[in-house]
Short mmCIF file of all heavy atoms in Angstrom, two decimals:
data_model
loop_
_atom_site.label_atom_id
_atom_site.label_comp_id
_atom_site.label_asym_id
_atom_site.label_seq_id
_atom_site.Cartn_x
_atom_site.Cartn_y
_atom_site.Cartn_z
N MET R 1 0.87 -1.20 0.00
CA MET R 1 0.03 0.07 0.04
C MET R 1 0.89 1.31 0.07
O MET R 1 1.59 1.48 0.93
CB MET R 1 -0.88 -0.01 1.20
CG MET R 1 -1.99 -0.99 1.20
SD MET R 1 -3.01 -1.10 2.69
CE MET R 1 -2.42 -2.51 3.61
N ALA R 2 0.76 1.91 -1.16
CA ALA R 2 1.64 3.10 -1.24
C ALA R 2 1.30 4.18 -0.31
O ALA R 2 2.06 4.74 0.53
CB ALA R 2 1.69 3.61 -2.74
N ALA R 3 0.02 4.59 -0.42
CA ALA R 3 -0.38 5.80 0.37
C ALA R 3 -0.92 5.35 1.79
O ALA R 3 -1.26 4.16 1.90
CB ALA R 3 -1.51 6.52 -0.28
N GLY R 4 -0.73 6.07 2.75
CA GLY R 4 -1.18 5.74 4.22
C GLY R 4 -2.62 5.94 4.24
O GLY R 4 -3.35 6.45 3.34
N PHE R 5 -3.11 5.42 5.32
CA PHE R 5 -4.62 5.38 5.55
C PHE R 5 -5.14 6.85 5.56
O PHE R 5 -6.19 7.07 4.99
CB PHE R 5 -4.98 4.78 6.86
CG PHE R 5 -6.39 4.75 7.21
CD1 PHE R 5 -7.33 4.00 6.47
CD2 PHE R 5 -6.93 5.46 8.28
CE1 PHE R 5 -8.69 4.02 6.75
CE2 PHE R 5 -8.33 5.42 8.60
CZ PHE R 5 -9.11 4.73 7.74
N GLY R 6 -4.45 7.76 6.18
CA GLY R 6 -4.94 9.19 6.19
C GLY R 6 -5.06 9.74 4.77
O GLY R 6 -6.00 10.36 4.47
N ASP R 7 -4.05 9.43 3.91
CA ASP R 7 -4.13 9.93 2.60
C ASP R 7 -5.28 9.22 1.77
O ASP R 7 -5.96 9.82 1.09
CB ASP R 7 -2.82 9.58 1.81
CG ASP R 7 -1.72 10.45 2.29
OD1 ASP R 7 -1.91 11.63 2.87
OD2 ASP R 7 -0.52 10.04 2.21
N TRP R 8 -5.43 7.92 2.01
CA TRP R 8 -6.57 7.25 1.38
C TRP R 8 -7.88 7.77 1.89
O TRP R 8 -8.71 8.09 1.01
CB TRP R 8 -6.46 5.72 1.70
CG TRP R 8 -7.50 4.96 1.16
CD1 TRP R 8 -7.68 4.36 -0.05
CD2 TRP R 8 -8.74 4.58 1.80
NE1 TRP R 8 -8.80 3.68 -0.25
CE2 TRP R 8 -9.50 3.77 1.01
CE3 TRP R 8 -9.34 4.89 3.10
CZ2 TRP R 8 -10.82 3.27 1.18
CZ3 TRP R 8 -10.53 4.41 3.42
CH2 TRP R 8 -11.33 3.57 2.55
N LEU R 9 -8.02 8.03 3.11
CA LEU R 9 -9.26 8.58 3.75
C LEU R 9 -9.61 9.95 3.17
O LEU R 9 -10.75 10.16 2.90
CB LEU R 9 -9.22 8.55 5.16
CG LEU R 9 -10.46 8.83 5.95
CD1 LEU R 9 -11.58 7.82 5.73
CD2 LEU R 9 -10.19 8.94 7.44
N ALA R 10 -8.57 10.73 2.84
CA ALA R 10 -8.84 12.11 2.43
C ALA R 10 -9.68 12.16 1.17
O ALA R 10 -10.29 13.15 0.90
CB ALA R 10 -7.46 12.79 2.25
N GLN R 11 -9.59 11.17 0.34
CA GLN R 11 -10.34 11.22 -0.97
C GLN R 11 -11.79 11.16 -0.76
O GLN R 11 -12.58 11.32 -1.66
CB GLN R 11 -9.88 10.09 -1.83
CG GLN R 11 -10.33 8.61 -1.43
CD GLN R 11 -9.82 7.49 -2.18
OE1 GLN R 11 -9.91 7.62 -3.46
NE2 GLN R 11 -9.43 6.40 -1.58
N PHE R 12 -12.33 10.90 0.45
CA PHE R 12 -13.67 10.76 0.75
C PHE R 12 -14.27 12.07 1.38
O PHE R 12 -15.42 12.00 1.80
CB PHE R 12 -13.95 9.59 1.57
CG PHE R 12 -13.67 8.24 0.90
CD1 PHE R 12 -12.42 7.59 1.21
CD2 PHE R 12 -14.50 7.75 0.03
CE1 PHE R 12 -12.15 6.44 0.61
CE2 PHE R 12 -14.18 6.48 -0.58
CZ PHE R 12 -13.00 5.89 -0.36
N THR R 13 -13.52 13.13 1.43
CA THR R 13 -14.05 14.31 2.11
C THR R 13 -15.33 14.96 1.50
O THR R 13 -16.09 15.55 2.16
CB THR R 13 -13.00 15.39 2.30
OG1 THR R 13 -12.57 15.77 1.05
CG2 THR R 13 -11.81 14.94 3.26
N GLN R 14 -15.48 14.63 0.22
CA GLN R 14 -16.73 15.27 -0.48
C GLN R 14 -17.90 14.29 -0.56
O GLN R 14 -18.84 14.49 -1.20
CB GLN R 14 -16.33 15.71 -1.84
CG GLN R 14 -15.20 16.79 -1.80
CD GLN R 14 -15.65 17.96 -1.01
OE1 GLN R 14 -16.62 18.51 -1.15
NE2 GLN R 14 -14.68 18.46 -0.17
N VAL R 15 -17.65 13.07 0.04
CA VAL R 15 -18.71 12.01 0.01
C VAL R 15 -19.73 12.14 1.12
O VAL R 15 -19.29 12.44 2.22
CB VAL R 15 -17.98 10.66 0.06
CG1 VAL R 15 -19.06 9.44 0.10
CG2 VAL R 15 -17.09 10.34 -1.04
N ASN R 16 -20.88 12.11 0.73
CA ASN R 16 -22.03 12.07 1.77
C ASN R 16 -22.05 10.63 2.43
O ASN R 16 -21.74 9.61 1.86
CB ASN R 16 -23.41 12.33 1.14
CG ASN R 16 -23.53 13.75 0.70
OD1 ASN R 16 -23.00 14.66 1.29
ND2 ASN R 16 -24.25 13.97 -0.41
N GLY R 17 -22.35 10.67 3.70
CA GLY R 17 -22.41 9.45 4.51
C GLY R 17 -21.31 9.33 5.54
O GLY R 17 -20.62 10.15 5.81
N ALA R 18 -21.27 8.08 6.21
CA ALA R 18 -20.44 7.91 7.27
C ALA R 18 -19.02 7.97 6.89
O ALA R 18 -18.19 8.71 7.67
CB ALA R 18 -20.62 6.56 7.92
N ILE R 19 -18.49 7.47 5.88
CA ILE R 19 -17.12 7.53 5.51
C ILE R 19 -16.73 8.98 5.31
O ILE R 19 -15.59 9.45 5.55
CB ILE R 19 -16.73 6.58 4.35
CG1 ILE R 19 -15.19 6.46 4.27
CG2 ILE R 19 -17.30 7.09 3.06
CD1 ILE R 19 -14.68 5.34 3.55
N GLY R 20 -17.58 9.79 4.58
CA GLY R 20 -17.32 11.13 4.39
C GLY R 20 -17.22 11.99 5.68
O GLY R 20 -16.38 12.80 5.80
N ASP R 21 -18.07 11.65 6.56
CA ASP R 21 -18.04 12.29 7.95
C ASP R 21 -16.74 12.03 8.50
O ASP R 21 -16.02 12.87 9.08
CB ASP R 21 -19.17 11.83 8.89
CG ASP R 21 -20.54 12.28 8.32
OD1 ASP R 21 -20.60 13.19 7.55
OD2 ASP R 21 -21.49 11.59 8.76
N LEU R 22 -16.23 10.74 8.53
CA LEU R 22 -14.99 10.42 9.19
C LEU R 22 -13.92 11.12 8.51
O LEU R 22 -12.98 11.61 9.10
CB LEU R 22 -14.81 8.85 9.04
CG LEU R 22 -13.48 8.34 9.57
CD1 LEU R 22 -13.30 8.59 11.06
CD2 LEU R 22 -13.27 6.87 9.34
N ALA R 23 -13.85 11.20 7.14
CA ALA R 23 -12.86 11.71 6.38
C ALA R 23 -12.77 13.25 6.72
O ALA R 23 -11.65 13.86 6.93
CB ALA R 23 -13.08 11.64 4.86
N ARG R 24 -13.92 13.93 6.81
CA ARG R 24 -13.91 15.36 7.14
C ARG R 24 -13.45 15.58 8.57
O ARG R 24 -12.64 16.54 8.88
CB ARG R 24 -15.31 15.99 6.96
CG ARG R 24 -15.61 16.12 5.48
CD ARG R 24 -16.89 16.88 5.33
NE ARG R 24 -18.17 16.07 5.72
CZ ARG R 24 -18.65 15.10 5.02
NH1 ARG R 24 -18.14 14.81 3.78
NH2 ARG R 24 -19.74 14.33 5.33
N ASP R 25 -13.84 14.75 9.43
CA ASP R 25 -13.38 14.78 10.86
C ASP R 25 -11.79 14.60 10.88
O ASP R 25 -11.16 15.41 11.75
CB ASP R 25 -14.07 13.81 11.78
CG ASP R 25 -15.48 14.13 12.02
OD1 ASP R 25 -15.94 15.28 11.73
OD2 ASP R 25 -16.21 13.27 12.61
N ALA R 26 -11.38 13.60 10.15
CA ALA R 26 -9.94 13.44 10.11
C ALA R 26 -9.12 14.53 9.60
O ALA R 26 -8.10 15.06 10.11
CB ALA R 26 -9.55 12.13 9.40
N ALA R 27 -9.67 15.13 8.57
CA ALA R 27 -8.98 16.31 7.87
C ALA R 27 -9.00 17.50 8.81
O ALA R 27 -8.03 18.35 8.72
CB ALA R 27 -9.73 16.62 6.55
N ALA R 28 -10.02 17.70 9.52
CA ALA R 28 -10.05 18.83 10.47
C ALA R 28 -9.30 18.63 11.80
O ALA R 28 -9.24 19.57 12.65
CB ALA R 28 -11.57 19.17 10.80
N ASP R 29 -8.82 17.44 12.08
CA ASP R 29 -8.18 17.07 13.37
C ASP R 29 -6.69 17.23 13.27
O ASP R 29 -6.11 16.54 12.62
CB ASP R 29 -8.47 15.56 13.67
CG ASP R 29 -7.93 15.13 15.07
OD1 ASP R 29 -7.12 15.85 15.57
OD2 ASP R 29 -8.34 13.99 15.46
N PRO R 30 -6.20 18.29 13.88
CA PRO R 30 -4.81 18.56 13.78
C PRO R 30 -3.94 17.41 14.41
O PRO R 30 -2.72 17.34 14.17
CB PRO R 30 -4.51 19.88 14.52
CG PRO R 30 -5.65 19.93 15.45
CD PRO R 30 -6.82 19.23 14.86
N ASP R 31 -4.53 16.67 15.26
CA ASP R 31 -3.76 15.49 15.89
C ASP R 31 -3.97 14.23 15.24
O ASP R 31 -3.56 13.11 15.79
CB ASP R 31 -4.19 15.47 17.37
CG ASP R 31 -3.79 16.70 18.12
OD1 ASP R 31 -2.72 17.33 17.88
OD2 ASP R 31 -4.56 17.10 18.97
N TRP R 32 -4.66 14.20 14.06
CA TRP R 32 -4.86 12.86 13.38
C TRP R 32 -3.66 12.17 13.09
O TRP R 32 -2.59 12.79 12.62
CB TRP R 32 -5.53 13.12 12.02
CG TRP R 32 -6.05 11.84 11.47
CD1 TRP R 32 -5.40 11.29 10.38
CD2 TRP R 32 -7.11 10.92 11.76
NE1 TRP R 32 -6.03 10.16 9.92
CE2 TRP R 32 -7.07 9.92 10.81
CE3 TRP R 32 -8.05 11.01 12.69
CZ2 TRP R 32 -7.95 8.86 10.88
CZ3 TRP R 32 -9.02 9.99 12.82
CH2 TRP R 32 -8.98 8.89 11.76
N PRO R 33 -3.45 10.97 13.52
CA PRO R 33 -2.06 10.31 13.31
C PRO R 33 -1.54 10.19 11.95
O PRO R 33 -2.38 9.94 10.97
CB PRO R 33 -2.32 8.95 14.01
CG PRO R 33 -3.67 8.91 14.63
CD PRO R 33 -4.43 10.02 14.07
N ASP R 34 -0.30 10.29 11.80
CA ASP R 34 0.35 10.08 10.46
C ASP R 34 0.78 8.53 10.34
O ASP R 34 1.32 8.21 9.31
CB ASP R 34 1.53 11.05 10.23
CG ASP R 34 1.11 12.44 10.00
OD1 ASP R 34 0.09 12.64 9.36
OD2 ASP R 34 1.86 13.26 10.35
N GLY R 35 0.79 7.82 11.46
CA GLY R 35 1.17 6.51 11.46
C GLY R 35 1.48 6.21 12.88
O GLY R 35 1.33 6.95 13.73
N PRO R 36 1.93 4.95 13.13
CA PRO R 36 2.07 3.92 12.18
C PRO R 36 0.82 3.55 11.49
O PRO R 36 -0.36 3.67 12.11
CB PRO R 36 2.67 2.82 12.99
CG PRO R 36 2.27 2.98 14.34
CD PRO R 36 2.14 4.45 14.51
N ASP R 37 0.89 3.04 10.26
CA ASP R 37 -0.30 2.74 9.44
C ASP R 37 -0.91 1.37 9.88
O ASP R 37 -0.76 0.34 9.14
CB ASP R 37 0.16 2.66 8.01
CG ASP R 37 -1.06 2.95 7.09
OD1 ASP R 37 -1.93 3.75 7.45
OD2 ASP R 37 -1.04 2.43 5.95
N GLU R 38 -1.56 1.42 10.98
CA GLU R 38 -2.12 0.17 11.57
C GLU R 38 -3.56 0.65 12.19
O GLU R 38 -3.64 1.76 12.77
CB GLU R 38 -1.34 -0.38 12.76
CG GLU R 38 -0.01 -0.93 12.27
CD GLU R 38 0.92 -1.17 13.50
OE1 GLU R 38 0.50 -1.03 14.65
OE2 GLU R 38 2.08 -1.61 13.27
N LEU R 39 -4.61 -0.17 12.10
CA LEU R 39 -5.82 0.09 12.55
C LEU R 39 -5.89 0.64 13.99
O LEU R 39 -6.46 1.60 14.36
CB LEU R 39 -6.84 -1.06 12.33
CG LEU R 39 -8.23 -0.78 12.90
CD1 LEU R 39 -8.91 0.35 12.27
CD2 LEU R 39 -9.13 -2.10 12.65
N GLU R 40 -5.04 -0.05 14.83
CA GLU R 40 -4.94 0.25 16.23
C GLU R 40 -4.54 1.75 16.50
O GLU R 40 -5.08 2.42 17.35
CB GLU R 40 -3.99 -0.72 16.99
CG GLU R 40 -3.95 -0.49 18.48
CD GLU R 40 -2.95 -1.44 19.15
OE1 GLU R 40 -2.32 -2.18 18.47
OE2 GLU R 40 -2.99 -1.41 20.30
N THR R 41 -3.70 2.31 15.56
CA THR R 41 -3.22 3.61 15.76
C THR R 41 -4.43 4.65 15.72
O THR R 41 -4.62 5.48 16.56
CB THR R 41 -2.39 4.02 14.59
OG1 THR R 41 -1.11 3.17 14.67
CG2 THR R 41 -1.85 5.47 14.74
N TYR R 42 -5.32 4.40 14.77
CA TYR R 42 -6.42 5.30 14.59
C TYR R 42 -7.65 4.91 15.50
O TYR R 42 -8.31 5.91 16.02
CB TYR R 42 -6.98 5.10 13.04
CG TYR R 42 -5.83 5.44 12.09
CD1 TYR R 42 -5.16 4.42 11.58
CD2 TYR R 42 -5.44 6.72 11.86
CE1 TYR R 42 -4.03 4.59 10.72
CE2 TYR R 42 -4.32 7.02 11.03
CZ TYR R 42 -3.64 5.95 10.49
OH TYR R 42 -2.50 6.20 9.71
N THR R 43 -7.78 3.72 15.84
CA THR R 43 -8.72 3.32 16.88
C THR R 43 -8.39 3.95 18.20
O THR R 43 -9.30 4.58 18.90
CB THR R 43 -8.86 1.76 17.08
OG1 THR R 43 -9.12 1.15 15.76
CG2 THR R 43 -9.80 1.43 18.10
N ASP R 44 -7.18 3.83 18.59
CA ASP R 44 -6.67 4.46 19.86
C ASP R 44 -6.88 6.02 19.92
O ASP R 44 -7.37 6.57 20.93
CB ASP R 44 -5.13 4.14 20.11
CG ASP R 44 -4.93 2.74 20.49
OD1 ASP R 44 -5.87 1.95 20.83
OD2 ASP R 44 -3.75 2.37 20.58
N HIS R 45 -6.60 6.56 18.77
CA HIS R 45 -6.79 7.99 18.70
C HIS R 45 -8.32 8.47 18.77
O HIS R 45 -8.51 9.39 19.61
CB HIS R 45 -6.32 8.56 17.24
CG HIS R 45 -6.49 9.99 16.97
ND1 HIS R 45 -5.81 10.95 17.71
CD2 HIS R 45 -7.40 10.62 16.25
CE1 HIS R 45 -6.14 12.14 17.39
NE2 HIS R 45 -7.22 12.02 16.45
N LEU R 46 -9.23 7.73 18.12
CA LEU R 46 -10.53 8.00 18.28
C LEU R 46 -11.11 7.75 19.71
O LEU R 46 -11.96 8.52 20.29
CB LEU R 46 -11.42 7.27 17.21
CG LEU R 46 -11.38 7.72 15.78
CD1 LEU R 46 -12.23 6.92 14.90
CD2 LEU R 46 -11.61 9.13 15.71
N GLU R 47 -10.63 6.65 20.28
CA GLU R 47 -11.07 6.24 21.68
C GLU R 47 -10.61 7.37 22.65
O GLU R 47 -11.24 7.83 23.46
CB GLU R 47 -10.50 4.91 22.08
CG GLU R 47 -11.32 3.81 21.40
CD GLU R 47 -10.70 2.39 21.71
OE1 GLU R 47 -9.53 2.30 22.20
OE2 GLU R 47 -11.37 1.43 21.43
N ASP R 48 -9.35 7.81 22.46
CA ASP R 48 -8.81 8.89 23.30
C ASP R 48 -9.60 10.21 23.20
O ASP R 48 -9.70 11.02 24.05
CB ASP R 48 -7.31 9.13 23.02
CG ASP R 48 -6.41 7.99 23.43
OD1 ASP R 48 -6.90 7.11 24.24
OD2 ASP R 48 -5.28 8.00 23.07
N ALA R 49 -10.16 10.44 21.99
CA ALA R 49 -10.94 11.57 21.70
C ALA R 49 -12.35 11.52 22.15
O ALA R 49 -13.18 12.42 22.01
CB ALA R 49 -10.88 11.97 20.25
N GLY R 50 -12.74 10.30 22.66
CA GLY R 50 -14.06 10.10 23.19
C GLY R 50 -15.07 9.81 22.07
O GLY R 50 -16.34 10.01 22.28
N ALA R 51 -14.69 9.20 21.03
CA ALA R 51 -15.57 8.83 19.88
C ALA R 51 -16.62 7.83 20.32
O ALA R 51 -16.33 6.88 21.09
CB ALA R 51 -14.78 8.31 18.72
N SER R 52 -17.74 7.86 19.57
CA SER R 52 -18.90 6.96 19.90
C SER R 52 -18.43 5.59 19.31
O SER R 52 -17.57 5.36 18.41
CB SER R 52 -20.07 7.36 19.26
OG SER R 52 -19.96 7.47 17.83
N GLU R 53 -19.22 4.54 19.71
CA GLU R 53 -19.05 3.24 19.14
C GLU R 53 -19.33 3.24 17.69
O GLU R 53 -18.74 2.62 16.85
CB GLU R 53 -19.99 2.28 19.84
CG GLU R 53 -19.64 0.83 19.68
CD GLU R 53 -18.28 0.38 20.22
OE1 GLU R 53 -17.81 0.94 21.37
OE2 GLU R 53 -17.58 -0.36 19.59
N ALA R 54 -20.33 4.00 17.21
CA ALA R 54 -20.73 4.13 15.87
C ALA R 54 -19.44 4.66 15.00
O ALA R 54 -19.20 4.23 13.92
CB ALA R 54 -21.89 5.01 15.63
N ALA R 55 -18.80 5.69 15.60
CA ALA R 55 -17.65 6.28 14.84
C ALA R 55 -16.54 5.18 14.76
O ALA R 55 -15.85 5.13 13.76
CB ALA R 55 -17.13 7.48 15.62
N LEU R 56 -16.39 4.36 15.84
CA LEU R 56 -15.37 3.33 15.76
C LEU R 56 -15.77 2.29 14.67
O LEU R 56 -14.84 1.68 14.04
CB LEU R 56 -15.21 2.73 17.12
CG LEU R 56 -14.57 3.63 18.14
CD1 LEU R 56 -14.64 3.01 19.58
CD2 LEU R 56 -13.14 4.05 17.77
N ASP R 57 -17.00 2.01 14.56
CA ASP R 57 -17.48 1.10 13.57
C ASP R 57 -17.19 1.58 12.16
O ASP R 57 -16.80 0.82 11.26
CB ASP R 57 -18.98 0.71 13.65
CG ASP R 57 -19.26 -0.06 14.97
OD1 ASP R 57 -18.43 -0.75 15.46
OD2 ASP R 57 -20.50 -0.07 15.30
N VAL R 58 -17.43 2.89 11.95
CA VAL R 58 -17.21 3.45 10.69
C VAL R 58 -15.70 3.37 10.37
O VAL R 58 -15.28 3.06 9.22
CB VAL R 58 -17.63 4.96 10.62
CG1 VAL R 58 -17.16 5.69 9.29
CG2 VAL R 58 -19.19 5.04 10.80
N LEU R 59 -14.87 3.67 11.36
CA LEU R 59 -13.43 3.52 11.13
C LEU R 59 -12.98 2.08 10.76
O LEU R 59 -12.23 1.92 9.78
CB LEU R 59 -12.68 3.83 12.39
CG LEU R 59 -11.18 3.71 12.46
CD1 LEU R 59 -10.50 4.50 11.42
CD2 LEU R 59 -10.59 3.81 13.84
N ALA R 60 -13.58 1.13 11.51
CA ALA R 60 -13.35 -0.25 11.19
C ALA R 60 -13.71 -0.64 9.66
O ALA R 60 -12.98 -1.28 9.01
CB ALA R 60 -13.96 -1.24 12.08
N ASP R 61 -14.86 -0.12 9.30
CA ASP R 61 -15.40 -0.43 7.94
C ASP R 61 -14.45 0.31 6.87
O ASP R 61 -14.06 -0.27 5.88
CB ASP R 61 -16.79 0.06 7.69
CG ASP R 61 -17.76 -0.72 8.58
OD1 ASP R 61 -17.48 -1.91 8.94
OD2 ASP R 61 -18.99 -0.19 8.66
N ALA R 62 -14.07 1.62 7.14
CA ALA R 62 -13.22 2.23 6.27
C ALA R 62 -11.82 1.56 6.17
O ALA R 62 -11.24 1.44 5.04
CB ALA R 62 -13.01 3.65 6.70
N TRP R 63 -11.39 1.05 7.36
CA TRP R 63 -10.04 0.36 7.27
C TRP R 63 -10.08 -0.88 6.45
O TRP R 63 -9.15 -1.14 5.68
CB TRP R 63 -9.62 0.08 8.81
CG TRP R 63 -8.29 -0.65 8.78
CD1 TRP R 63 -8.00 -1.99 8.66
CD2 TRP R 63 -6.91 -0.02 8.72
NE1 TRP R 63 -6.68 -2.21 8.69
CE2 TRP R 63 -6.01 -1.09 8.60
CE3 TRP R 63 -6.57 1.34 8.71
CZ2 TRP R 63 -4.69 -0.73 8.59
CZ3 TRP R 63 -5.19 1.60 8.66
CH2 TRP R 63 -4.30 0.49 8.65
N ALA R 64 -11.24 -1.62 6.58
CA ALA R 64 -11.37 -2.79 5.81
C ALA R 64 -11.30 -2.47 4.26
O ALA R 64 -10.67 -3.27 3.51
CB ALA R 64 -12.69 -3.51 6.12
N ARG R 65 -11.96 -1.41 3.92
CA ARG R 65 -12.01 -1.03 2.47
C ARG R 65 -10.53 -0.64 2.12
O ARG R 65 -10.03 -0.98 0.93
CB ARG R 65 -12.89 0.14 2.14
CG ARG R 65 -14.39 -0.23 2.31
CD ARG R 65 -15.36 0.95 2.19
NE ARG R 65 -15.12 1.60 0.79
CZ ARG R 65 -15.84 2.71 0.52
NH1 ARG R 65 -16.74 3.16 1.34
NH2 ARG R 65 -15.62 3.31 -0.68
N TYR R 66 -9.83 0.02 2.93
CA TYR R 66 -8.47 0.52 2.68
C TYR R 66 -7.57 -0.69 2.52
O TYR R 66 -6.87 -0.77 1.52
CB TYR R 66 -8.07 1.43 3.78
CG TYR R 66 -6.52 1.72 3.83
CD1 TYR R 66 -5.93 2.40 2.87
CD2 TYR R 66 -5.82 1.12 4.88
CE1 TYR R 66 -4.50 2.61 2.91
CE2 TYR R 66 -4.46 1.45 4.91
CZ TYR R 66 -3.79 2.17 3.95
OH TYR R 66 -2.46 2.32 4.07
N ALA R 67 -7.74 -1.60 3.44
CA ALA R 67 -6.84 -2.85 3.44
C ALA R 67 -7.15 -3.70 2.28
O ALA R 67 -6.21 -4.31 1.76
CB ALA R 67 -7.01 -3.56 4.71
N ALA R 68 -8.40 -3.71 1.75
CA ALA R 68 -8.73 -4.51 0.68
C ALA R 68 -8.22 -3.81 -0.77
O ALA R 68 -8.30 -4.38 -1.85
CB ALA R 68 -10.18 -4.75 0.56
N GLY R 69 -7.78 -2.59 -0.64
CA GLY R 69 -7.20 -1.87 -1.73
C GLY R 69 -8.21 -1.12 -2.54
O GLY R 69 -7.93 -0.79 -3.74
N SER R 70 -9.43 -0.92 -1.97
CA SER R 70 -10.46 -0.15 -2.75
C SER R 70 -10.36 1.29 -2.63
O SER R 70 -9.67 1.77 -1.75
CB SER R 70 -11.79 -0.73 -2.35
OG SER R 70 -12.12 -0.44 -1.06
#
């Protein structure tokens, strides 16, 4: 995977729906992690920020899409 998850996620900032919401939140978050490029990195960040279970589910779904190369 050439681009990291944050770069991959950024392509969805104009998309309506949950992944777009996550992408916009990530883009607006000055502390959004640059890596390491592992799901746990981003899960820990959202948990530390007090994210809802729904937000964590969206993250997991987005990560699955990213990891599958879509």
Side-chain angles (χ1 to χ4, degrees):
M1 290 178 254
F5 179 68
D7 291 335
W8 177 88
L9 188 61
Q11 70 183 317
F12 296 99
T13 57
Q14 301 303 312
V15 173
N16 289 328
I19 195 167
D21 292 342
L22 177 63
R24 286 185 291 280
D25 289 347
D29 182 349
D31 296 321
W32 186 258
D34 286 332
D37 204 34
E38 298 169 356
L39 176 57
E40 184 178 4
T41 302
Y42 305 99
T43 300
D44 288 350
H45 178 73
L46 289 183
E47 287 175 343
D48 289 347
S52 67
E53 197 62 40
L56 295 170
D57 288 345
V58 171
L59 173 64
D61 290 345
W63 182 266
R65 288 176 60 180
Y66 165 68
S70 62

